């Protein structure tokens, strides 16, 4: 199922609070902010995200609900040994001054942090709930995006069909204008119809947009097929849009008819809107 890369999911129980925000990103980028003593579970939590999602930036916050902090433990035996060694050295070398608690705090190895008690299974349970809520929101947003994109794709189909209908008229208009100009320059008696046909053939070859229109129609069909396939399709759709843009640019350079040119501008504008939406799809 198609997902948006933008979403939010959270979950909380009596022990943990988890919040996950996801944003657009070309790849999968995961950032986890949690107490240092839980860092040993970071890889496992990252893997849960990787199993569920393919793209997006994920900002994850994990905290203990009651604000429990690690308890500080002092290794009294080590502190005593350090004090005794310093006192002995001071006496032996006749070093002035006194040895106080401030000096002992410089030896960080005598202090250790004891983790607060918590159940890691509860942590994983809350994390899975937050991930599930995030996924639901991304799927819902993806559904809205898909519906809007399909509406715009239908507009492109209709515009392409209108251009197809106008294309033959463009050649007739050109032929009439060309004939009128020759009549003004040479007079109607001097006009060579064969010459007009030759010029028309040359112009037709240079301005023929049938191939571009056919390719756009095929790309639009592919686009809908990819949308129907679901899952992680953002990159495929983005690539296909680049191909459609290329064809639209060629149309713009070939078309000289005002109505066709106007439609091509509308097509390019609509493609840009679709591109913005596709860049938000996983």
């Amino acid at each position: 199922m198609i997902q948006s890369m933008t979403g939010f999911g959270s979950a909380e129980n009596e022990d943990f609070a988890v919040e996950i925000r996801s944003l657009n990103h070309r790849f999968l980028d995961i950032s986890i902010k949690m107490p240092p003593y839980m860092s040993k579970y970071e890889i496992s939590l990252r893997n849960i995200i990787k199993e569920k999602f393919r793209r997006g930036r994920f900002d994850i916050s994990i905290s203990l609900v009651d604000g429990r902090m690690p308890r500080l433990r002092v290794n009294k035996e080590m502190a005593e040994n350090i004090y005794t060694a310093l006192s002995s050295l001071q006496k032996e070398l006749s070093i002035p001054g006194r040895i106080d608690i401030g000096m002992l705090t410089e030896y960080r190895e005598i202090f250790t942090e004891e983790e607060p008690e918590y159940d890691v299974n509860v942590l994983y349970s809350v994390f899975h709930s937050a991930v599930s809520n995030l996924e639901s929101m991304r799927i819902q947003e993806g559904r809205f995006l898909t519906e809007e994109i399909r509406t715009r794709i239908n507009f492109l189909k209709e515009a392409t069909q209108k251009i197809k209908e106008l294309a033959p008229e463009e050649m007739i208009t050109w032929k009439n204008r060309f004939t009128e100009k020759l009549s003004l320059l040479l007079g109607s008696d001097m006009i060579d119809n064969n010459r007009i046909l030759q010029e028309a053939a040359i112009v037709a070859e240079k301005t023929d947009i049938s191939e571009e229109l056919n390719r756009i129609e095929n790309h639009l069909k592919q686009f809908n097929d990819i949308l129907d396939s679901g899952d992680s399709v953002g990159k495929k759709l983005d690539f296909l849009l680049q191909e459609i843009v290329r064809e639209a640019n060629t149309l713009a350079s070939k078309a000289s008819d005002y109505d066709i040119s106007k439609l091509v501008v509308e097509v390019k504008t609509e493609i840009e809107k679709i591109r913005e939406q596709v860049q938000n799809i996983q």
Side-chain angles (χ1 to χ4, degrees):
M1 191 170 292
I2 287 178
Q3 292 186 25
S4 165
M5 282 191 283
T6 303
F8 174 79
S10 64
E12 183 177 326
N13 64 6
E14 65 277 5
D15 291 323
F16 294 97
V18 177
E19 290 186 353
I20 309 176
R21 289 177 172 81
S22 69
L23 300 169
N24 296 2
H25 200 277
R26 290 180 62 194
F27 307 106
L28 187 65
D29 184 19
I30 304 170
S31 174
I32 302 180
K33 183 180 179 181
M34 60 184 178
Y37 52 83
M38 292 184 189
S39 59
K40 56 191 171 185
Y41 305 114
E42 182 173 346
I43 292 177
S44 298
L45 296 174
R46 283 176 174 273
N47 287 337
I48 293 172
I49 296 294
K50 289 178 180 178
E51 288 172 3
K52 283 286 186 180
F53 308 105
R54 297 291 176 269
R55 289 204 301 162
R57 171 173 173 78
F58 295 82
D59 291 315
I60 303 168
S61 172
I62 302 173
S63 60
L64 285 164
V65 172
D66 58 7
R68 275 173 283 172
M69 299 294 291
R71 286 179 289 182
L72 194 65
R73 295 289 185 183
V74 180
N75 189 328
K76 295 180 181 179
E77 183 179 354
M78 182 181 291
E80 184 178 352
N81 290 338
I82 291 172
Y83 181 82
T84 300
L86 291 175
S87 297
S88 176
L89 183 64
Q90 183 183 40
K91 183 177 180 180
E92 184 178 342
L93 300 179
S94 300
I95 300 173
R98 64 175 185 168
I99 302 169
D100 58 15
I101 190 68
M103 186 176 291
L104 287 178
T105 58
E106 297 294 326
Y107 295 86
R108 301 187 63 84
E109 58 268 25
I110 68 175
F111 301 102
T112 56
E113 288 184 346
E114 187 176 273
E115 292 183 15
E117 292 183 1
Y118 60 88
D119 188 342
V120 67
N121 291 320
V122 174
L123 167 62
Y124 283 128
S125 175
V126 176
F127 191 80
H128 276 292
S129 295
V131 169
S132 179
N133 292 335
L134 171 65
E135 185 179 29
S136 296
M137 184 174 180
R138 282 170 55 118
I139 289 173
Q140 184 179 15
E141 290 295 319
R143 190 178 298 116
F144 293 148
L145 279 174
T146 302
E147 289 174 1
E148 191 167 347
I149 288 172
R150 286 193 190 279
T151 299
R152 298 190 185 281
I153 290 296
N154 287 335
F155 172 85
L156 293 182
K157 285 182 177 179
E158 292 172 4
T160 302
Q161 184 58 40
K162 288 179 183 177
I163 294 172
K164 265 191 170 182
E165 293 169 0
L166 289 171
E169 295 179 13
E170 182 180 18
M171 284 308 304
I172 294 172
T173 302
W174 177 89
K175 180 177 177 293
N176 291 336
R177 286 176 183 170
F178 185 70
T179 304
E180 286 176 9
K181 288 180 180 179
L182 285 180
S183 295
L184 289 173
L185 291 171
L186 305 175
S188 57
D189 295 336
M190 299 291 293
I191 295 177
D192 185 348
N193 287 328
N194 290 329
R195 181 59 178 169
I196 293 175
L197 291 174
Q198 288 175 359
E199 291 295 331
I202 294 171
V203 172
E205 186 176 354
K206 290 181 178 179
T207 60
D208 181 32
I209 56 175
S210 59
E211 288 187 17
E212 286 77 15
L213 291 172
N214 288 335
R215 280 196 286 266
I216 288 176
E217 286 183 337
N218 289 333
H219 290 329
L220 293 177
K221 183 180 182 303
Q222 281 182 273
F223 205 96
N224 275 329
D225 290 342
I226 293 172
L227 284 175
D228 291 336
S229 69
D231 200 17
S232 182
V233 298
K235 289 183 178 179
K236 293 179 182 177
L237 294 177
D238 191 50
F239 172 78
L240 202 52
L241 273 178
Q242 293 177 33
E243 296 300 308
I244 296 174
V245 167
R246 187 176 293 113
E247 301 300 338
N249 286 336
T250 305
L251 280 180
S253 66
K254 285 186 174 183
S256 57
D257 178 78
Y258 172 78
D259 291 330
I260 291 179
S261 297
K262 183 181 176 182
L263 281 169
V264 172
V265 170
E266 292 178 6
V267 165
K268 293 178 70 173
T269 301
E270 206 69 14
I271 291 171
E272 190 56 37
K273 291 177 182 177
I274 295 173
R275 185 198 289 275
E276 291 174 4
Q277 293 165 330
V278 164
Q279 288 176 350
N280 197 30
I281 290 178
Q282 174 175 267

XYZ file of all heavy atoms in Angstrom, residues 2 4 135-145:
108
model
N 0.502 2.242 -0.793
C 1.307 3.452 -0.917
C 1.279 4.252 0.385
O 0.235 4.428 1.000
C 0.807 4.316 -2.081
C 1.204 3.655 -3.405
C 1.362 5.731 -2.016
C 0.735 4.381 -4.621
N 2.719 7.879 2.449
C 3.397 9.170 2.470
C 4.625 9.023 3.365
O 4.664 8.167 4.246
C 2.457 10.241 3.028
O 3.188 11.400 3.381
N 2.683 4.161 10.936
C 2.392 3.509 9.652
C 0.957 3.796 9.209
O 0.699 4.066 8.034
C 2.620 2.007 9.773
C 2.455 1.267 8.458
C 2.719 -0.217 8.595
O 2.487 -0.770 9.690
O 3.162 -0.832 7.612
N 0.021 3.769 10.148
C -1.385 4.043 9.814
C -1.552 5.450 9.260
O -2.273 5.666 8.278
C -2.262 3.874 11.059
O -2.242 2.535 11.505
N -0.860 6.400 9.885
C -0.958 7.785 9.419
C -0.317 7.947 8.051
O -0.859 8.638 7.179
C -0.291 8.721 10.428
C -0.431 10.189 10.064
S 0.210 11.291 11.345
C -0.123 12.899 10.602
N 0.827 7.297 7.840
C 1.498 7.391 6.542
C 0.648 6.760 5.441
O 0.614 7.258 4.311
C 2.872 6.710 6.619
C 3.926 7.566 7.309
C 5.211 6.805 7.597
N 5.804 6.185 6.446
C 7.018 6.484 5.951
N 7.742 7.456 6.515
N 7.505 5.833 4.926
N -0.030 5.670 5.747
C -0.906 5.015 4.766
C -2.100 5.916 4.441
O -2.496 6.061 3.282
C -1.372 3.643 5.286
C -0.200 2.652 5.274
C -2.528 3.107 4.450
C -0.509 1.315 5.920
N -2.684 6.528 5.479
C -3.816 7.429 5.257
C -3.404 8.623 4.398
O -4.101 8.982 3.438
C -4.356 7.925 6.597
C -5.598 8.801 6.460
C -6.125 9.260 7.809
O -5.442 9.168 8.817
N -7.345 9.746 7.840
N -2.258 9.217 4.715
C -1.757 10.333 3.918
C -1.436 9.875 2.490
O -1.659 10.600 1.526
C -0.502 10.919 4.569
C -0.757 11.652 5.873
C -1.600 12.888 5.685
O -1.394 13.615 4.699
O -2.499 13.135 6.522
N -0.908 8.653 2.380
C -0.603 8.090 1.063
C -1.853 7.916 0.216
O -1.828 8.136 -1.002
N -2.952 7.550 0.873
C -4.227 7.385 0.160
C -4.707 8.728 -0.403
O -5.148 8.812 -1.556
C -5.266 6.796 1.113
C -6.558 6.357 0.441
C -7.523 5.739 1.435
N -6.973 4.538 2.036
C -6.691 4.399 3.333
N -6.920 5.397 4.159
N -6.195 3.274 3.803
N -4.602 9.769 0.407
C -5.005 11.105 -0.060
C -4.126 11.554 -1.232
O -4.622 12.096 -2.227
C -4.897 12.116 1.083
C -5.869 11.889 2.199
C -5.548 12.211 3.512
C -7.112 11.343 1.944
C -6.447 11.997 4.541
C -8.022 11.116 2.965
C -7.687 11.448 4.277
N -2.827 11.323 -1.097
C -1.901 11.703 -2.167
C -2.231 10.974 -3.463
O -2.234 11.561 -4.541
C -0.455 11.380 -1.756
C 0.262 12.383 -0.846
C 1.609 11.823 -0.427
C 0.457 13.714 -1.557
